[in-house]
Amino acid sequence: MELLIEFFSSYGYFAVFFVLLICGFGVPIPEDITLVSGGVISGLGYTNVHWMLVVSMIGVLVGDSTMYWLGRIYGEKILQFPLIRKIATPERFATVQERFEKEGWKLLFVARFLPGLRAVVYLVSGITRKVTFTRFVLVDFFAAIISVPIWVYLGDFGAKNLDWLHRQIQKGQMAIWVILIIGGIFVFWKWKKSRKAKSVNKPTQHIDNKP
């Protein structure tokens, strides 16, 4: 965080936008730490926090959309690019593709909170073309509007007390994981319940034993 704060303090909005853009490519820079750091420089007086939120949202959406269009334009050929190959390994790609076939836009929404798989999910959504770009942006926006403002304003609020801020980030990350786990359990329970209902309501075949 200290390195990002120093970099952002020197180059302002442009630096935040640039880092969020490369985060969308799966570069291992934590997006939440980037957003908090953008909020911190606002709290220190380098930028306006509300404009920082706007720039952060645009950076997040443009980065995600870039992965979508790379998949849509190049198809599976994009997987041969060295950088993409490191992010979308064959195992990851196969797993995400299988889940995407079943979940569709729901997986897109959840992917915003899964740093390790986010870029691969967006890439697959473009390759398969099962989600229009309009729907992709809308789903991504509604997911981002939940998390992005929280991290930016948290950074702004805790700019002068980084130790306190570190603790709040850890709590926030833990809360997100708890919510995702509970949500996953609920979805699994609904799926099992639906399958059970279908098996109960499935018509039975009667065998006619008449000679």
Side-chain angles (χ1 to χ4, degrees):
M1 183 187 292
E2 285 75 11
L3 289 173
L4 285 174
I5 292 172
E6 184 178 348
F7 177 54
F8 292 166
S9 298
S10 301
Y11 299 100
Y13 301 114
F14 174 79
V16 176
F17 178 85
F18 173 74
V19 173
L20 287 171
L21 185 64
I22 63 175
C23 281
F25 284 85
V27 175
I29 302 175
E31 187 179 273
D32 48 4
I33 302 300
T34 302
L35 293 168
V36 170
S37 300
V40 167
I41 67 166
S42 296
L44 295 176
Y46 291 97
T47 57
N48 177 279
V49 69
H50 307 303
W51 279 114
M52 180 58 71
L53 174 59
V54 173
V55 170
S56 297
M57 283 294 297
I58 294 173
V60 164
L61 294 176
V62 171
D64 296 345
S65 298
T66 301
M67 292 301 290
Y68 173 90
W69 280 109
L70 284 173
R72 183 157 184 147
I73 293 170
Y74 293 101
E76 293 195 21
K77 289 186 292 185
I78 192 66
L79 300 175
Q80 302 306 314
F81 283 68
L83 176 61
I84 301 297
R85 196 186 306 132
K86 290 181 180 179
I87 300 167
T89 61
E91 295 78 13
R92 277 186 178 180
F93 182 78
T95 300
V96 170
Q97 193 171 31
E98 181 183 353
R99 296 307 307 167
F100 196 80
E101 292 289 335
K102 297 176 181 178
E103 304 296 338
W105 67 267
K106 296 177 185 176
L107 182 60
L108 279 178
F109 185 88
V110 175
R112 167 118 301 278
F113 309 100
L114 300 174
L117 292 176
R118 184 188 301 148
V120 186
V121 171
Y122 298 155
L123 198 65
V124 170
S125 66
I127 291 174
T128 59
R129 301 193 177 194
K130 289 187 175 293
V131 177
T132 64
F133 180 62
T134 302
R135 173 167 283 193
F136 174 87
V137 171
L138 285 174
V139 172
D140 197 32
F141 172 81
F142 284 115
I145 205 67
I146 295 172
S147 59
V148 173
I150 293 174
W151 294 125
V152 172
Y153 286 118
L154 179 65
D156 177 65
F157 184 77
K160 293 179 173 61
N161 189 345
L162 293 185
D163 289 335
W164 174 87
L165 188 57
H166 276 292
R167 291 195 296 271
Q168 302 313 308
I169 291 171
Q170 290 174 345
K171 290 178 182 178
Q173 291 171 331
M174 184 63 67
I176 289 173
W177 278 109
V178 169
I179 291 170
L180 286 173
I181 290 170
I182 293 173
I185 292 172
F186 176 75
V187 170
F188 180 74
W189 174 75
K190 290 283 288 183
W191 175 72
K192 291 288 287 183
K193 186 178 178 182
S194 175
R195 284 197 64 180
K196 187 176 180 181
K198 286 180 181 178
S199 64
V200 170
N201 296 327
K202 187 176 180 180
T204 56
Q205 293 182 344
H206 297 283
I207 300 175
D208 191 355
N209 293 322
K210 289 182 180 181

